[in-house]
Amino acid sequence: GAGVSQSPSNKVTEKGKDVELRCDPISGHTALYWYRQSLGQGLEFLIYFQGNSAPDKSGLPSDRFSAERTGGSVSTLTIQRTQQEDSAVYLCASSLVSEQYFGPGTRLTVT
Amino acid sequence: QKEVEQNSGPLSVPEGAIASLNCTYSDRGSQSFFWYRQYSGKSPELIMSIYSNGDKEDGRFTAQLNKASQYVSLLIRDSQPSDSATYLCAVNVYMNRDDKIIFGKGTRLHILP
């Protein structure tokens, strides 16, 4: 079946602009995670959605970052007023129980 | 603070030898343990999951879990150059009534031809 998809695959934006990153999880998966990975670094947890529960936003680095998940499926990560330090690969993962399956990521470059 | 610890490496292993990757975790209540492989420029790929103490084998891979020592390891037999990657350990933790997965920072493995 279809895996996790993310769009766009690459995004170049100017400092100060807003960006939206999209994640389509595997159908039926109730949990969805967003991570950030800078070059050569580990996964940085951003936010976690589980079913209809309130999301765990404890990893969001600043109030410029927000995410929503509509209808328990597609999720959008929004970064407002982008900064150069936001440049990274943004990864989305979904799971049904506990095994996470990752999308291909969105490479964000802020110039 | 619930943590997953891994040696960052790089771990260099000759081709054909056994590569041993180790991971420790802090939450005694953890029940689910995973190993992911991440090639450079790619997203992590699940390669093993283990839930019970002991060994679990899948092809050239063996995961070993010791809950008493809070230790999980991954053995790769007959290492191949294609095994060169970063290996991420992941563990479930219970926080704020939610079951959540946390990742270690990964160990870079380099198989020497």
Side-chain angles (χ1 to χ4, degrees):
Chain A
V4 179
S5 60
Q6 292 186 245
S7 61
S9 55
N10 280 282
K11 176 72 176 178
V12 180
T13 190
E14 292 180 353
K15 177 181 172 181
K17 300 282 190 184
D18 297 352
V19 295
E20 286 190 350
L21 312 180
R22 178 188 168 105
C23 172
D24 278 274
I26 293 172
S27 179
H29 278 195
T30 55
L32 187 149
Y33 295 77
W34 282 99
Y35 298 92
R36 178 168 71 176
Q37 189 171 38
S38 301
L39 188 64
Q41 302 299 308
L43 294 175
E44 177 187 2
F45 165 75
L46 296 178
I47 189 168
Y48 162 50
F49 296 90
Q50 173 60 271
N52 295 321
S53 302
D56 176 352
K57 304 179 183 180
S58 61
L60 295 179
S62 77
D63 58 8
R64 296 186 296 106
F65 288 73
S66 63
E68 62 178 22
R69 189 178 184 193
T70 53
S73 181
V74 171
S75 179
T76 302
L77 177 69
T78 301
I79 309 173
Q80 296 179 311
R81 305 181 303 280
T82 52
Q83 304 295 311
Q84 287 187 327
E85 60 262 30
D86 299 334
S87 296
V89 175
Y90 289 80
L91 290 163
C92 172
S94 72
S95 70
L96 180 58
V97 180
S98 52
E99 296 179 349
Q100 289 188 31
Y101 297 90
F102 283 81
T106 294
R107 181 175 299 279
L108 175 66
T109 304
V110 182
T111 61
Chain B
Q1 184 74 5
K2 302 191 179 185
E3 296 180 334
V4 176
E5 299 285 345
Q6 295 182 255
N7 188 315
S8 62
L11 174 65
S12 295
V13 173
E15 183 175 357
I18 296 175
S20 178
L21 303 163
N22 304 316
C23 172
T24 58
Y25 59 95
S26 62
D27 186 2
R28 286 200 166 274
S30 294
Q31 298 293 322
S32 307
F33 308 86
F34 309 94
W35 283 100
Y36 287 79
R37 178 177 62 200
Q38 186 175 25
Y39 292 117
S40 180
K42 301 293 185 182
S43 56
E45 171 193 12
L46 178 66
I47 55 172
M48 289 287 284
S49 56
I50 186 167
Y51 304 95
S52 304
N53 275 330
D55 295 0
K56 179 182 178 182
E57 187 175 318
D58 183 0
R60 295 187 295 112
F61 298 97
T62 299
Q64 298 177 319
L65 175 61
N66 183 326
K67 290 183 181 179
S69 300
Q70 295 176 241
Y71 178 95
V72 57
S73 63
L74 180 70
L75 302 179
I76 306 175
R77 290 182 299 281
D78 187 25
S79 297
Q80 302 296 308
S82 59
D83 295 326
S84 296
T86 296
Y87 289 80
L88 304 170
C89 174
V91 175
N92 83 301
V93 296
Y94 291 97
M95 296 175 65
N96 302 322
R97 295 180 294 174
D98 262 342
D99 183 5
K100 179 178 165 181
I101 303 295
I102 60 173
F103 283 81
K105 295 191 181 301
T107 298
R108 284 184 295 139
L109 175 65
H110 184 209
I111 305 301
L112 303 170

